[in-house]
Amino acid sequence: MIIGVPKESFPGEQRVALVPAVLPSLAKAGCEVLMEAGAGEAALYPDAAYVEKGVRIVASRHELFASADAVFQVLAPGANDRTGRTDLLLLKRDQVLIGFLRPLGSPETVQEIAATGATAFAIELMPRITRAQSMDALSSMATVAGYKAVLHAANILPRMFPMLMTAAGTVTPARVLIVGAGVAGLQAIATARRLGAVVSAYDIRPATKEEVRSLGARFVELPLEAADAEGRGGYAKAQDESFYRRQRELLARVVAESDVVITTAMVPGRQAPVLITAEMVASMKPGSVIVDLAAERGGNCELTRAYETIVGHGVTIIGEVNLAGSVPHHASQMYARNIAAFYLYLVKSGALELNLDDEITRDTLVTRGGEVVHPRVREALKLPPLGVSALAEEPLRGTDAKKGEGASDAV
Ligand code: NAD
């Protein structure tokens, strides 16, 4: 099998889908790797480091797509809504494509990928099960984003994070509030603690209480009980507007006392709930910072503007959406391990073997044989469910693709 790694083409994207360290495991499985020249450069992986591990560098993207059995990308068409379209012209029948595809946000692009005949996997649909942990790129990127969110805030805040007792007097520590203690939130807590801040956190899932406390943060107890807070795969369930209104009222005091608020609250398949109103922003001290990691999904703060950093009521509100991409070296390293583990999981004895009885394959597979095969993407496109007979015509193992439900549409 020949794996092709094109250079990421989304403007400003610095990550790369494979790094030299994972190449031996792919070679051992009989895979040859082709890479577009300079694909790893922005993440500080020079071509020479790949060549040393047996990679063939090609100058032309056309040649790369033409020769590859499988194409690995970070932002594939769909997630790359700027330049991804040009790659659609290069995809070919039965070629495997793996990357972030934003399948539920851009279902029309998935339909266009299907039209090329390619077999595409959306890595963000990886189920949140123990077996799939090594392939969970969404969690890897959330980890990096949580870390970087704190650094951004610390950089902008006109105060220091740690408490200092110096000859020039005592400096009080910054107060940091994390709303949403999932993967990104927990990493944000750990990072803010390492910098010496006093950290509080809140999540509607009661299971997070212990995790928050074990990282040395205070769990904010709100007299508010979410009905059925946790759904499939450990994700939060959406609540009604009266719940969110009450949550805002109860969070108001904690927000006003915080120097930094980092929000990560999300519910799969929905717009992010608004948990911080303009009025709450106005109650914060001037110079405070909000980093809204839910910006791309509408934002947890009413004033957030996705992709932008703004100042409202004297508070800086960061709505950057690709924080993981701003740490390209390690984000690429983690992504490469995830995508390589996933591909090696799909390949048996040197050939791709698709077992639709397996949750990992079924949940991530979005196109095959010219069709959009993922039930939720079909639903988003208003296409009728794919009949069992249609699937049976495909040379796949298993016929219960209809059961497949992606874990998340977060990217
Ligand atoms: P996410 O990014 O979708 O959501 C972030 C957090 O926001 C979640 O913790 C959620 O409970 C919280 N939230 C939602 N609405 C909220 C509200 N109104 N107020 C406050 N918080 C709110 O999710 P995530 O961070 O990727 O992870 C979610 C869960 O999945 C966690 O339990 C995590 O441990 C689990 N997970 C499991 C695996 C695995 O087992 N393989 C892998 C990754 C994540």
Side-chain angles (χ1 to χ4, degrees), residues 224-280:
L224 185 68
E225 201 153 312
D228 217 3
E230 196 158 316
R232 186 177 182 264
Y235 282 105
K237 276 194 168 172
Q239 305 295 314
D240 59 19
E241 188 41 38
S242 67
F243 177 93
Y244 292 133
R245 193 180 330 113
R246 182 89 184 110
Q247 186 180 351
R248 287 191 290 268
E249 284 165 16
L250 293 167
L251 271 180
R253 192 181 51 79
V254 201
V255 169
E257 288 169 356
S258 302
D259 301 302
V260 170
V261 177
I262 294 173
T263 63
T264 78
M266 275 177 277
V267 177
R270 308 274 185 134
Q271 283 288 95
V274 173
L275 304 175
I276 300 179
T277 59
E279 204 181 315
M280 288 160 82

Side-chain angles (χ1 to χ4, degrees), residues 128-129 133 136 139 182-183 203 205 234 236 244 247 264-266:
R128 250 74 193 281
I129 54 174
Q133 256 170 358
D136 185 353
S139 286
V183 178
D203 196 294
R205 291 181 298 114
Y244 292 133
Q247 186 180 351
T264 78
M266 275 177 277

